[in-house]
Amino acid sequence: MPVGTYSAGGAFSFYPTKNLGALGDGGAVITNDPAIADRVRRLRNGGQTDRYVHADAGVNSRLDDLQAAVLRARLPLLPHWTARRRALAAKYRRWLAGSIHPLKERDGGHVYHLFVVRSSERAALRTHLRASGIETLIHYPVPLPDQPAFASFTRSDCAVAARVAAEILSLPLHPRLTDAQVERICSAVDLFQKGKILA
Ligand SMILES: *Cc1c(COP(=O)(O)O)cnc(C)c1O
């Protein structure tokens, strides 16, 4: 069942790097509750009920028409992109299973926004991959309790995040990556792992 459909509501980001991305910022809330729908519609438009009448202190969060048009054209392609992401992730998973611990697939419907692995030598692995022309990113390097905004929480409130934050690494994943590119990335990881054994 698609996410966002088994609760009262769901929130989606259409940030350009997302599985369904706009050309700029955008997002949506979905709900099957008319009262929530009314409230969210109002909040995104400054909390207005009528022109210049603000029932709530809302925000300016209207999705502009241009972004909506792009998203509407892209939406029908999403299942195809998801299938492609899953196929590439399966390839990574098969190839890398014995080496850099791809995170477990807990749900057969996983849409692979990212492909995250763990390495206790992340910095060296990143440097090695960068030297082979392969960009990697870290999602995310700073656990929430370490953010100034969430200073009231402690690291033990997010024990797993605290433990893995120094090890996680996102390998390239995008529906337009080719099988050959994923194979080249896996080979580069293998080379790093072999170098480690020899070192
Ligand atoms: C999703 C995402 C954002 C934006 O998220 P919003 O919920 O749309 O604000 C920003 N940066 C990265 C790397 C993201 O993946």
Side-chain angles (χ1 to χ4, degrees), residues 10-30:
F12 294 87
S13 168
F14 302 134
Y15 189 75
T17 59
K18 295 296 194 265
N19 294 37
L20 175 62
L23 297 179
D25 270 309
V29 171
I30 64 172

Side-chain angles (χ1 to χ4, degrees), residues 51-69:
R51 204 169 193 193
Y52 309 129
V53 179
H54 298 259
D56 302 283
V59 295
N60 175 351
S61 197
R62 295 176 298 265
L63 183 68
D64 76 65
D65 294 352
L66 195 65
Q67 301 303 342

Side-chain angles (χ1 to χ4, degrees), residues 67-196:
Q67 301 303 342
V70 168
L71 289 164
R72 194 170 174 172
R74 287 180 172 177
L75 183 59
L77 301 170
L78 184 59
H80 166 73
W81 289 337
T82 297
R84 184 67 191 144
R85 281 179 186 271
R86 289 186 52 78
L88 292 172
K91 193 174 197 57
Y92 266 136
R93 193 172 282 292
R94 274 195 306 276
W95 193 314
L96 300 175
S99 72
I100 51 169
H101 315 296
L103 299 189
K104 280 196 191 68
E105 185 176 278
R106 289 167 195 270
D107 178 342
H110 199 325
V111 299
Y112 287 97
H113 169 51
L114 302 169
F115 190 82
V116 179
V117 296
R118 287 173 65 180
S119 168
S120 54
E121 287 161 89
R122 179 177 68 188
L125 175 59
R126 286 196 89 187
T127 305
H128 168 81
L129 292 177
R130 194 178 301 125
S132 316
I134 298 162
E135 186 186 21
T136 57
L137 292 171
I138 297 167
H139 299 92
Y140 291 88
V142 184
L144 291 184
D146 292 352
Q147 296 288 355
F150 297 110
S152 60
F153 294 91
T154 63
R155 292 202 116 203
S156 59
D157 291 323
C158 299
V160 175
R163 184 154 43 83
V164 304
E167 296 188 354
I168 48 175
L169 185 66
S170 304
L171 299 182
L173 184 63
H174 186 277
R176 276 196 290 272
L177 273 187
T178 64
D179 284 45
Q181 284 171 318
V182 167
E183 283 158 23
R184 192 167 85 75
I185 295 162
C186 290
S187 298
V189 171
D190 276 354
L191 208 60
F192 177 80
Q193 297 294 103
K194 284 208 192 81
K196 254 176 36 184

